[in-house]
Amino acid sequence: MRLGRVEATVGFFLLAAWLNYLDRSCFVPMVMLACAAHELGHYGAIRMLGGEVKRIRLTAIGAEMVLDRPLGYWQEGLSALAGPGTNLLLALACCHWRDGVTFAGLNLALALFNMLPVGRLDGGRALYCVLALLGGPKLAGGVGGWLDVLCTAAAGAAGLMLAGTRGNFTLLLVALWLLGGLFQQNNCSEW
């Protein structure tokens, strides 16, 4: 078993350091563990389905896996669902443990966010693969494009409302990140 190269960007380290500095309740290590489990779910599924990961790149907004060759639609769809599936299993396992409720909640939130039907997220990738299998890549791209716009607009509107009423800019930043994804081409060989 060969794991290729692992890279971490400066943004990854800056964000981790900043969050760690602000963290007073040991929340950041739990978030990092939930994210690592998520990515290991993807990695394990890719390997079990015959894929080879050439490179893993850790960024401020997540991890990207570059494969040696693209997977088929059904393999990519299953691999996309493996990350949120791992988080759901961890949430279920930890929710019955008194000290594990926070970790369970983090895993549940990570799984649900990643299942949004937006192309940059696992739910969008899985939906694209299902639609491509059923109606071809043109249909999948068209439906996925509209869902990307609708979800990004909804997140932007909710983010503006939260920023204006509560002073919380988190959802607005997520919406801006999703908006940036609207201008990038969907590449099935990267995670």
Side-chain angles (χ1 to χ4, degrees):
M1 181 172 89
R2 190 176 123 274
L3 175 65
R5 208 169 64 202
V6 177
E7 300 173 359
T9 64
V10 171
F12 171 79
F13 288 114
L14 288 175
L15 180 64
W18 180 63
L19 290 174
N20 192 48
Y21 174 74
L22 295 176
D23 187 21
R24 300 287 182 244
S25 61
C26 294
F27 196 66
V28 171
M30 285 192 288
V31 170
M32 296 291 227
L33 186 59
C35 291
H38 180 96
E39 297 306 329
L40 284 172
H42 288 310
Y43 180 78
I46 289 167
R47 294 288 299 153
M48 286 193 306
L49 294 168
E52 187 72 42
V53 177
K54 283 192 332 187
R55 179 174 47 111
I56 298 174
R57 187 169 181 250
L58 304 174
T59 70
I61 55 173
E64 302 166 353
M65 291 187 197
V66 178
L67 308 182
D68 65 340
R69 61 180 162 58
L71 297 173
Y73 289 130
W74 74 269
Q75 293 102 333
E76 182 177 345
L78 286 176
S79 297
L81 295 174
T86 300
N87 291 123
L88 288 176
L89 288 173
L90 281 171
L92 185 62
C94 294
C95 71
H96 302 291
W97 176 39
R98 191 176 142 248
D99 293 332
V101 173
T102 302
F103 188 62
L106 283 170
N107 277 285
L108 181 62
L110 185 59
L112 292 177
F113 174 73
N114 272 283
M115 286 307 297
L116 289 174
V118 176
R120 296 187 89 179
L121 301 174
D122 299 327
R125 286 185 176 277
L127 180 63
Y128 177 88
C129 291
V130 168
L131 291 174
L133 282 169
L134 296 175
K138 186 174 181 179
L139 171 72
V143 171
W146 279 106
L147 282 172
D148 284 357
V149 170
L150 289 174
C151 288
T152 301
L160 284 171
M161 188 177 74
L162 277 175
T165 60
R166 303 275 189 228
N168 186 333
F169 292 90
T170 306
L171 187 56
L172 189 57
L173 292 174
V174 169
L176 289 173
W177 174 70
L178 293 174
L179 183 63
L182 292 177
F183 299 105
Q184 291 182 348
Q185 203 170 13
N186 186 11
N187 182 349
C188 290
S189 65
E190 288 189 24
W191 284 85

